[in-house]
Amino acid sequence: MPSKVLVAASTKPLVLSVLSHGKNYGYRIIKEIEALSGGALQWTDAMLYPVLKRMEKEALITAHWVVTENGRKRKYYEITEEGKAQLQQDRQEWLSVNRIFAQLWAPNTDLSLIKD
Amino acid sequence: MTILTKPQVAHVEAHLAHAGLPDGLSGELLDHLCCAIEQEIDKGSTFDAALSETLQNWPIRHLQKLHRDVRFTTKTKPMLYRISAAAALLAGIAFLSPLPWPAEADHVKTLPIELATTVNDFLFEPPTASPIAGVDMKNNLSSGFGMRTHPYFKRKVFHKGIDLKAPTGTPVMATADGQVIFAGDDGDYGISVRILHEDGYVTVYHHLHDHTVQKGDQLLLGQTIGAVGSTGLSTGPHLHYEVRKDDVPMDPLALLD
Ligand SMILES: [Zn+2]
């Protein structure tokens, strides 16, 4: 399980990423993340719902109720335009961090690029 | 794919009703719990076994904490957490497997030195409860946080907490889970209790009539720690209550909205 800071920092971008594939609901979002991370990220329910509510308040996502075929009410979340813009920005940040590592960890990395 | 019948759903609904959650959240959790039960049944469990397991995983206490977390994360100002470049770099490790250097490599120049991230810490509960059961802090203040004329010394001093009106003997409760770091006579402050919580929060309770906990005790939110009194330099029965974050006193009411 990744550290607390990391979990906290990655939660919103992960929710936005899942929702960028289409609208989804709480239980399924948790399951998607679990499956995508190969079980490394097991969000507790107690963690996801407050984040969803917060993101809704920040207008990154919207929510609406749908009555499913079996007559049960289900709350679906959808990414907003603002959410998409946020995701784009998050994406750049995470990718650039990743690139630095890819570079540093490459077998023949030459740090002599930095001249003193 | 199992789908619960209406009477089965009603069992789950009855459990949720005990938690007294707002309708929206309750409805959402009803669907969540039903999904969890359906999945267990799909894996070969009976409805009764799946129901009892799911309800065990979701005790009333857990549901109510979730509600408080929702309130806390939506009503408080975001806790801005400055993540240093090192932490941001560290963040790259866990989720993203190293990618080949992509064509759009120009972003490396704009590597964020700091990522400002709203951190919701899911594992701890900040002290947002009222220290006196059933007493709303806002409506029972006899003295608020900040500069004021001291009731005893009659000069301007900074009031590091809030004073709550309550008769002698009213039970005082821990406002979050934590460990007692002081319990006893604290001179001018009278009989006092201090509790250390997660994430650098400390709560302080002064002028108690008595204390029922001891240094080192592990407490749960809502556990009684003593009773309202007027010990020390106090002009009448009241509870002086402080919340400190990393040793800095803060207005306990600020945590509410
Ligand atoms: Zn006071």
Side-chain angles (χ1 to χ4, degrees):
Chain A
M1 189 73 183
S3 76
K4 234 160 131 178
V5 168
L6 191 48
V7 169
S10 60
T11 304
K12 277 198 203 172
L14 283 172
V15 170
L16 290 174
S17 303
V18 169
L19 294 180
S20 72
H21 290 272
K23 64 177 188 173
N24 218 324
Y25 57 95
Y27 186 80
R28 265 271 303 276
I29 296 174
I30 293 171
K31 292 291 154 197
E32 306 268 19
I33 293 294
E34 205 178 301
L36 283 168
S37 68
L41 255 191
Q42 298 205 358
W43 285 354
T44 65
D45 324 294
M47 162 176 160
L48 180 68
Y49 289 104
V51 175
L52 287 173
K53 300 286 176 273
R54 170 130 212 150
M55 291 173 73
E56 199 183 336
K57 198 185 162 200
E58 291 170 347
L60 299 172
I61 59 176
T62 54
H64 60 271
W65 290 97
V66 167
V67 179
T68 59
E69 299 151 45
N70 48 329
R72 207 153 81 208
K73 272 170 59 188
R74 177 161 289 165
K75 197 169 186 181
Y76 274 92
Y77 293 91
E78 228 168 321
I79 191 166
T80 62
E81 287 308 313
E82 254 174 287
K84 285 179 192 162
Q86 181 65 52
L87 176 59
Q88 186 55 25
Q89 195 188 321
D90 290 343
R91 209 180 103 87
Q92 307 288 7
E93 287 179 353
W94 286 87
L95 282 176
S96 51
V97 167
N98 188 50
R99 275 178 211 125
I100 298 284
F101 275 119
Q103 178 87 327
L104 279 168
W105 292 342
N108 300 312
T109 302
D110 180 8
L111 290 184
S112 63
L113 290 170
I114 303 158
K115 306 270 188 272
D116 28 36
Chain B
M1 276 292 287
T2 310
I3 290 172
L4 296 188
T5 62
K6 284 237 159 80
Q8 286 173 330
V9 173
H11 277 284
V12 187
E13 219 167 350
H15 175 74
L16 276 165
H18 291 298
L21 307 176
D23 287 352
L25 185 61
S26 197
E28 191 166 17
L29 291 175
L30 176 64
D31 182 46
H32 185 104
L33 267 57
C34 288
C35 285
I37 292 170
E38 285 164 352
Q39 201 199 16
E40 285 305 306
I41 295 174
D42 283 342
K43 283 196 225 153
S45 194
T46 63
F47 170 73
D48 286 344
L51 175 72
S52 103
E53 195 198 321
T54 303
L55 298 194
Q56 247 170 46
N57 291 337
W58 286 87
I60 302 299
R61 207 166 53 82
H62 185 130
L63 292 165
Q64 286 169 342
K65 168 146 169 45
L66 174 56
H67 178 215
R68 288 194 299 274
D69 286 348
V70 166
R71 243 182 14 214
F72 182 73
T73 51
T74 53
K75 295 247 171 86
T76 50
K77 298 181 187 87
M79 285 181 280
L80 271 188
Y81 198 99
R82 305 297 284 182
I83 296 182
S84 67
L89 284 170
L90 189 78
I93 314 173
F95 300 128
L96 307 165
S97 55
L99 300 168
W101 198 264
E104 23 154 16
D106 46 296
H107 289 299
V108 174
K109 292 189 195 105
T110 62
L111 173 75
I113 307 290
E114 284 183 301
L115 300 175
T117 313
T118 302
V119 170
N120 297 306
D121 193 334
F122 315 101
L123 306 175
F124 91 101
E125 176 153 37
T128 52
S130 167
I132 300 176
V135 165
D136 176 83
M137 285 192 270
K138 271 184 199 156
N139 296 326
N140 289 277
L141 276 187
S142 57
S143 182
F145 179 84
M147 288 307 291
R148 64 154 188 185
T149 305
H150 194 277
Y152 206 90
F153 296 117
K154 310 283 181 210
R155 57 184 163 81
K156 289 252 175 199
V157 285
F158 190 81
H159 193 216
K160 292 185 288 181
I162 59 173
D163 293 342
L164 296 171
K165 287 177 276 193
T168 302
T170 309
V172 175
M173 311 179 315
T175 52
D177 296 0
Q179 186 178 32
V180 178
I181 51 172
F182 180 89
D185 195 332
D186 196 11
D188 292 353
Y189 299 118
I191 295 171
S192 300
V193 171
R194 286 199 290 274
I195 305 172
L196 174 66
H197 309 283
E198 276 190 75
D199 225 48
Y201 283 97
V202 168
T203 53
V204 180
Y205 314 75
H206 286 323
H207 310 301
L208 300 173
H209 179 70
D210 58 11
H211 62 91
T212 54
V213 292
Q214 303 302 332
K215 188 176 167 179
D217 287 356
Q218 287 290 344
L219 302 180
L220 293 174
L221 164 68
Q223 207 168 324
T224 301
I225 58 166
V228 172
S230 188
T231 54
L233 291 184
S234 166
T235 52
H238 76 286
L239 174 70
H240 171 98
Y241 173 62
E242 281 178 29
V243 177
R244 299 183 194 164
K245 168 89 169 116
D246 302 324
D247 277 335
V248 180
M250 59 187 292
D251 187 351
L253 302 179
L255 285 169
L256 301 182
D257 47 33

